[in-house]
């Protein structure tokens, strides 16, 4: 979950700020009720209030929303913004919205319940003929080099090898993982092929379980291809859009899917790329084939994040949709704590019961756990 610094740092992304601010200016009137879903510290909620909205409801699960209240007071618009902390699945805003906007993405729009939650909000919270934005996201990919990122991964591998330990298990995890370029940005000069759109998702539609797409792209710069970079372009409203292409400095990092074996690309080559992912971003798969001017085809292996998953067989089987789970001892203990949230006993009393009144350290540890569960599941 993002923190206060992260939400404030997002204001440095001028393309995103400009797009959302322009969309709010286009849609907000003095009679508008506006809902900001995923408000963070409320920056765009404050923008909407300053544009004259009659009422703004700013919704977020994060505790950062408390800073939003302070910012709204400092900006002189606290009387028109209602901050609501909680899960959007469980909330009913006091009024339906004329304008609904949201940004629930992670590195990619394929992030947890992003599309399902937005669809729920659009269906349940928007007053016809209200406006909701963004409207759609396009997923774009290109074959790239990523020297700094790959050097970091290889340095970790070499450190293990230096201890005389075979590194094949570590390499499988590295090559079967989705990485981000947040700390080692992929630049425009690192892009070696034409970009291509491999998936498009429209907010408000029933989201598919997964998306997939293929591209056959021309090599535009010679170099060592180390993987596929994925980014997105969003249509906020007609005529208002922005993207997170390599070379741009955005709120969001880009995704990097590494090739198990890097391949040298030359002028005249083409690369066929196949991509797929679950809509919640939990699983990705990718493959590539280099086609030389002579017609020779050099195919890489099919890779997936499943191959890089660090999970025991028992854990894998217990998470299958057909699994019939029973509570572990730890689960039963948590269940007992939750059942004690009855409005009668204090957190300290519950913690003492959990620790069975043993010693002060045990009660202290139990109190920390009870507090954490209460923040998440109690009111």
């Amino acid at each position: 979950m993002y923190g206060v610094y992260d939400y404030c740092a997002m204001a440095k992304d001028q393309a995103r700020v400009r797009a959302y601010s322009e969309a709010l200016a286009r849609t907000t009137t003095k009679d508008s009720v506006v809902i900001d879903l995923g408000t963070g510290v409320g920056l765009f909620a404050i923008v909407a209030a300053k544009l004259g909205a009659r009422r703004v409801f700013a919704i977020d699960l994060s505790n950062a929303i408390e800073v939003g209240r302070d910012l709204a007071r400092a900006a002189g618009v606290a009387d028109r913004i209602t901050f609501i902390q909680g899960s959007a699945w469980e909330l009913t805003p006091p009024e339906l919205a004329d304008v609904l906007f949201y940004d629930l993405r992670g590195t990619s729009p394929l992030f947890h319940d992003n599309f399902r939650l937005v669809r729920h909000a659009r269906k349940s919270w928007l007053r016809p003929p209200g406006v909701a934005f963004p409207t759609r996201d396009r997923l774009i990919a290109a074959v790239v080099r990523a020297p700094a990122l790959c050097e970091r991964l290889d340095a970790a591998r070499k450190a293990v090898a230096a201890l005389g330990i075979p590194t094949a298990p570590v390499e499988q995890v590295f090559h079967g993982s989705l990485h981000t370029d947040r700390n080692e940005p992929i630049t425009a000069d690192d892009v070696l092929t034409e970009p291509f759109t491999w998936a498009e998702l429209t907010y408000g539609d029933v989201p598919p379980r997964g998306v997939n797409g293929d591209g056959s792209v021309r090599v535009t710069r010679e170099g060592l291809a180390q993987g596929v970079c994925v980014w997105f372009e969003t249509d906020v409203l007609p005529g208002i859009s922005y993207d997170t292409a390599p070379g741009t400095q955005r709120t969001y990092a880009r995704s990097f899917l590494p090739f198990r074996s890097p391949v040298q690309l030359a002028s005249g080559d083409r690369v066929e790329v196949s991509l797929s992912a679950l809509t919640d971003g939990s699983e990705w798969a990718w493959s590539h084939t280099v086609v030389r001017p002579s017609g020779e085809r050099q195919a890489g292996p099919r890779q997936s994040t499943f191959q890089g998953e660090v999970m025991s067989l028992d854990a894998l089987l217990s998470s299958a949709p057909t699994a019939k789970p029973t509570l572990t001892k730890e689960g039963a203990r948590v269940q007992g704590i939750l059942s004690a949230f009855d409005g009668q006993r204090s957190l300290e009393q519950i913690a003492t019961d959990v620790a069975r009144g043993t010693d002060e350290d045990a009660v202290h540890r139990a109190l920390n756990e009870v507090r954490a569960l209460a923040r998440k599941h109690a009111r």
Side-chain angles (χ1 to χ4, degrees), residues 39-378:
T39 193
V41 294
L43 302 183
F44 287 125
I46 292 170
V47 170
K50 285 189 167 186
L51 287 168
R54 175 172 62 82
R55 172 61 53 189
V56 180
F57 297 105
I59 299 171
D60 206 293
L61 197 58
S62 169
N63 290 332
I65 205 169
E66 295 297 330
V67 176
R69 291 187 172 98
D70 294 337
L71 288 174
R73 280 191 288 271
V77 292
D79 59 323
R80 284 183 288 120
I81 303 179
T82 300
F83 287 89
I84 305 173
Q85 185 175 11
S87 168
W89 288 111
E90 302 168 2
L91 294 175
T92 301
E95 292 185 68
L96 294 179
D98 303 294
V99 179
L100 167 67
F101 67 98
Y102 35 81
D103 184 352
L104 306 177
R105 308 178 187 92
T107 301
S108 159
L110 306 180
F111 187 69
H112 297 308
D113 278 340
N114 176 18
F115 288 97
R116 293 188 182 279
L117 185 53
V118 166
R119 182 169 187 268
H120 164 74
R122 289 172 69 119
K123 286 179 60 180
S124 305
W125 300 352
L126 197 59
R127 182 191 355 254
V131 178
F133 59 86
T135 58
R136 72 177 54 81
D137 287 338
R138 284 177 292 280
L139 294 168
I140 303 170
V143 176
V144 300
R145 61 189 179 195
L149 195 160
C150 291
E151 284 170 13
R152 174 173 59 82
L153 296 177
D154 197 46
R157 181 195 63 79
K158 288 177 177 176
V160 174
L163 297 174
I165 301 172
T167 61
V170 171
E171 291 176 48
Q172 178 172 312
V173 173
F174 289 174
H175 294 146
S177 297
L178 180 146
H179 305 271
T180 77
D181 73 340
R182 184 167 301 282
N183 295 320
E184 300 99 356
I186 296 170
T187 70
D189 288 341
D190 291 324
V191 178
L192 304 180
T193 69
E194 300 167 311
F196 67 98
T197 298
W198 63 277
E200 183 173 305
L201 288 154
T202 299
Y203 287 101
D205 286 355
V206 177
R209 183 170 184 272
V211 293
N212 60 81
D214 304 306
S216 177
V217 289
R218 180 175 56 90
V219 169
T220 55
R221 180 179 282 107
E222 296 186 344
L224 184 66
Q226 296 173 299
V228 177
C229 180
V230 177
W231 65 94
F232 70 89
E233 180 180 39
T234 185
D235 291 336
V236 182
L237 284 175
I240 304 175
S241 64
Y242 64 94
D243 65 54
T244 62
T248 60
Q249 294 183 352
R250 295 286 181 264
T251 292
Y252 327 86
R254 287 154 289 271
S255 301
F256 176 71
L257 303 166
F259 291 163
R260 186 170 299 164
S261 299
V263 58
Q264 188 70 35
L265 297 182
S267 178
D269 291 342
R270 295 189 70 84
V271 185
E272 297 172 353
V273 180
S274 179
L275 295 163
S276 63
L278 295 183
T279 308
D280 65 5
S282 61
E283 291 182 24
W284 290 71
W286 61 101
S287 64
H288 71 282
T289 299
V290 177
V291 183
R292 305 297 185 184
S294 64
E296 176 193 356
R297 298 174 65 84
Q298 185 177 345
R302 179 76 170 171
Q303 295 173 245
S304 75
T305 52
F306 180 78
Q307 296 165 344
E309 190 74 45
V310 182
M311 185 182 296
S312 69
L313 179 59
D314 286 344
L316 181 64
L317 293 174
S318 67
S319 63
T322 55
K324 298 177 181 178
T326 58
L327 279 178
T328 62
K329 183 178 179 180
E330 173 67 12
R333 195 171 68 82
V334 171
Q335 185 182 57
I337 294 173
L338 294 176
S339 66
F341 293 162
D342 56 7
Q344 302 298 317
R345 285 171 283 184
S346 69
L347 296 182
E348 189 172 39
Q349 289 171 323
I350 295 170
T352 301
D353 290 343
V354 169
R356 302 186 186 279
T358 51
D359 58 73
E360 185 177 338
D361 287 342
V363 173
H364 178 74
R365 290 195 302 272
L367 182 57
N368 286 338
E369 181 181 17
V370 170
R371 278 178 177 150
L373 289 170
R375 288 191 192 103
K376 188 172 183 180
H377 301 293

Side-chain angles (χ1 to χ4, degrees), residues 11-25:
K12 295 188 295 184
D13 184 344
Q14 288 302 301
R16 177 176 176 268
V17 168
R18 187 165 48 250
Y20 276 87
S21 298
E22 185 178 338
L24 283 168

